[in-house]
Structures are given as C-alpha cells and as structure tokens.
Amino acid sequence: MSQGIGVVGLYVRDQDEALEFYVEKLGFRVHTDAQNGGFRWLTVQHPEQPSLQLGLFTPQAPVLDEATAQTMSEAVAKGAMPPLVLNVDDCRAAYERMRAQGVEFTQAPEERYGNVDANFRDPSGNGWKMIESRRTQ
Amino acid sequence: MDPELLRRLLRAKDQMDAASHETWPVCRLARVSHVSEAHFARSFKQAFGLPPHRYLLTRRLERAKALLRDTTMPILDIALQTGWNSLGTFGRVFRDVNGTSPSDWRAHEHAGRHDLERVPHCFVSAAYRPGLTSAVSEKRRRERPAKKEPSHKPEVV
C-alpha cells in the first residue's frame, strides 16, 4: 500500500519513558529515533502494522510556544486527549500480560455486545481502549 | 496547573469511573492522588471543572441510564447497583437532573432505539452523562421556587 495514513502523533510527557512503555510493555518496535538539536523525532510501530507509525512527541518549543506547550501538557495529564484503540486477538490474555508488566489499567476486561474490552493509560495519561477484534472476514 | 499533579488527579477520576457505585469520601480520593484532603477537592475542580462528588453523581446517572436503556432490570436494582441507598433518593435525584422519572425515561428511550453497536460503548454511554454545572440541590431550588425545600438532603451534590 502506497497511500494512506503514515504517522499519527501522540503527545507524551517524557520520550524515554514513553519509549520504554510502548516498546517494553506493549511490544511495539522503534521505527525512527532521531535527535535534531533540541527536538527528537520518535516513532514506534505495532509489529503487525508496518504501514503505520505512532509518533511519540513532547509538546515543546520551537514547534509550540511555551504557553501552548503547557496547555497541551496539562490536557494530556488530565486524560483529555482523544481516545486510542488497540485491537488484540485475546483481550484477557493481553490484560494479564500487560498488567504483570505494570501497565495502569483503568478498566479490567469486560464483555459487552459479544466483544471483550479493557482500558489502560500510558504513563503520560493518554487513554487506550483495548478491544478484542471481532473477526468479520 | 502542574501536569504531574493533574496526572495524579486523573488517577482518582479514573478510579471513580471504574467503580462509581462505591463510596468515594474525599480521604479515599486524596489518597489515590497523593494530595492532602484539604487540597483535593479544590484541585480536582480546578482540573476537571466540577467538584469530585458531583462528577461521581454524573457517572452514576450515566450508568443508571445505560442500564435503564439496555436492560429490563427492575429500577430498584438499578438504583442499588449504581450507588444509591434507596429507590427514593435515586428517583428524586434522577428527576431533578433529567426532568423525568427513571421509568418514564426508560419508556421514552425504548420507543426510539438506534443502532449504536458500531460505536464503542463508553461513547454511547457518555452521551447520557448529565452536564451538572450547578449542584442538584441548587437546580431543585431554582426550578421550584414556591415549594418548601424537603427536609432531607441528597447524599451526593
């Protein structure tokens, strides 16, 4: 596939912490980790989704002014950023594995409408819903 | 506000979300957020726009509405399951906030069902969360100015 969404970015409070979380605890891989002056371009990918990169960026100058960076940091920490969805084959197994790694779950797996889902947050406050994907194909 | 403090306040909010039927005295919430009881309520309101106990009330009502809509569970059971101690208190607060009784609201919802299966549950549910910009007791006072205030107080305002 040559067309489509390439990178979706998240704001995180600390890129080292986010890298450790997404790689060590969630099993993502590093795609690009490039330092350019005071700015670090850091993206990770899901191992089964090589066409999409998840950017882990800090709200900071010079991209944002100080006041806006502060506002964005507050929004992330308050859990006010848009929700993210992670599809998994087995929600309960993923929950057990991730919880053992110290992932902060805000909802244990629950079944509704025949699907199982759970909620967790990354260290910065970004909220993920983990959904056991219903195989329709 | 300090993002580090906000992240800890979010933890208290998350825990209320996960167990809104439980009792959440300020001391319990303050412990989750690692802040003093004296600062908790003020910081929470500053962060999330409403006092912690009113936030809890919105989540309980949201859950009650989901159960009214999605199940045939008796209203008493819904009241007890969502954190109220009695059917009376639940019915009164529900009516004060929504302007209709739980059973009328249920009947109305069932009359006009929509297919929301493709939307994650929490978003469907959140649409029913009341926006409580003032305390329920205040709303009640404003709407029934002529009537004498009942002697009992709602447990959560």
Side-chain angles (χ1 to χ4, degrees), chain B:
Chain B
M1 285 177 82
D2 173 22
E4 209 265 327
L5 169 63
L6 290 169
R7 183 66 183 86
R8 286 185 279 122
L9 293 169
L10 176 61
R11 220 156 265 147
K13 183 166 172 272
D14 279 342
Q15 293 206 9
M16 281 195 278
D17 289 342
S20 61
H21 60 286
E22 290 181 13
T23 313
W24 289 98
V26 169
C27 58
R28 187 180 177 196
L29 293 165
R31 213 177 311 127
V32 171
S33 291
H34 297 286
V35 295
S36 73
E37 287 183 40
H39 287 125
F40 180 81
R42 195 164 33 126
S43 304
F44 187 95
K45 180 163 192 253
Q46 203 185 341
F48 300 112
L50 74 180
H53 290 92
R54 202 184 303 156
Y55 177 74
L56 181 65
L57 177 62
T58 68
R59 296 311 319 260
R60 287 181 175 181
L61 287 171
E62 175 186 337
R63 233 185 112 224
K65 282 173 156 183
L67 291 172
L68 287 167
R69 189 191 64 232
D70 298 339
T71 72
T72 54
M73 211 186 279
I75 292 174
L76 172 63
D77 293 354
I78 292 177
L80 297 178
Q81 252 194 47
T82 52
W84 273 274
N85 294 326
S86 76
L87 185 58
T89 314
F90 170 62
R92 195 170 65 248
V93 174
F94 191 96
R95 188 194 289 270
D96 284 336
V97 173
N98 301 299
T100 172
S101 72
S103 54
D104 287 349
W105 191 87
R106 173 180 255 177
H108 181 260
E109 277 300 301
H110 283 180
R113 286 209 63 115
H114 306 291
D115 180 19
L116 292 169
E117 294 222 340
R118 292 182 65 84
V119 183
H121 170 82
C122 54
F123 292 95
V124 176
S125 168
Y128 294 107
R129 193 180 310 171
L132 287 182
T133 50
S134 61
V136 174
S137 54
E138 217 173 283
K139 189 174 190 300
R140 194 181 296 148
R141 227 176 356 255
R142 270 203 315 272
E143 284 173 7
R144 298 182 214 157
K147 243 168 121 182
K148 203 170 173 287
E149 192 64 9
S151 58
H152 47 231
K153 288 206 166 72
E155 289 142 55
V156 186
V157 287

